Amino acid sequence: MPEMLFCYCCRVHHPREQMRLFQTRHGPRWRCLRSIADARRPRDERDAFGRQQSTINREQARLDAERVIPWRSLAQG
């Protein structure tokens, strides 16, 4: 099994071959190649991705809220 390192940027473990030591103001940290490449994309593309992800998250939160059973109905039934 390959050695796995934690990417502080995307918060996922990746194989060491996909990681680079990245200098931050808090010292060196491991970061995956994908997150480094994504950070180099134009700002409007990153902003569009963020808006799309926010829409997805809001919809998921709405669906999760619909599935919650109120405590009163549990106590009564």
Side-chain angles (χ1 to χ4, degrees):
M1 183 169 166
E3 182 181 359
M4 303 291 276
L5 297 171
F6 182 73
C7 175
Y8 84 95
C9 190
C10 66
R11 307 190 61 77
V12 175
H13 286 85
H14 299 280
R16 186 180 185 95
E17 302 80 43
Q18 296 177 10
M19 302 291 286
R20 296 295 179 267
L21 203 53
F22 198 81
Q23 189 62 38
T24 69
R25 66 179 177 208
H26 299 290
R29 294 188 179 183
W30 289 102
R31 191 167 175 187
C32 68
L33 296 174
R34 187 189 66 154
S35 71
I36 294 170
D38 287 347
R40 292 185 177 138
R41 298 181 75 134
R43 170 170 259 170
D44 57 338
E45 284 183 34
R46 294 193 319 260
D47 289 346
F49 173 78
R51 284 189 298 274
Q52 177 187 15
Q53 196 63 42
S54 292
T55 302
I56 291 168
N57 292 343
R58 272 193 295 280
E59 180 63 16
Q60 186 62 50
R62 186 186 66 75
L63 292 172
D64 290 346
E66 287 177 358
R67 269 184 276 176
V68 174
I69 300 171
W71 285 104
R72 277 191 195 155
S73 64
L74 285 176
Q76 293 172 356

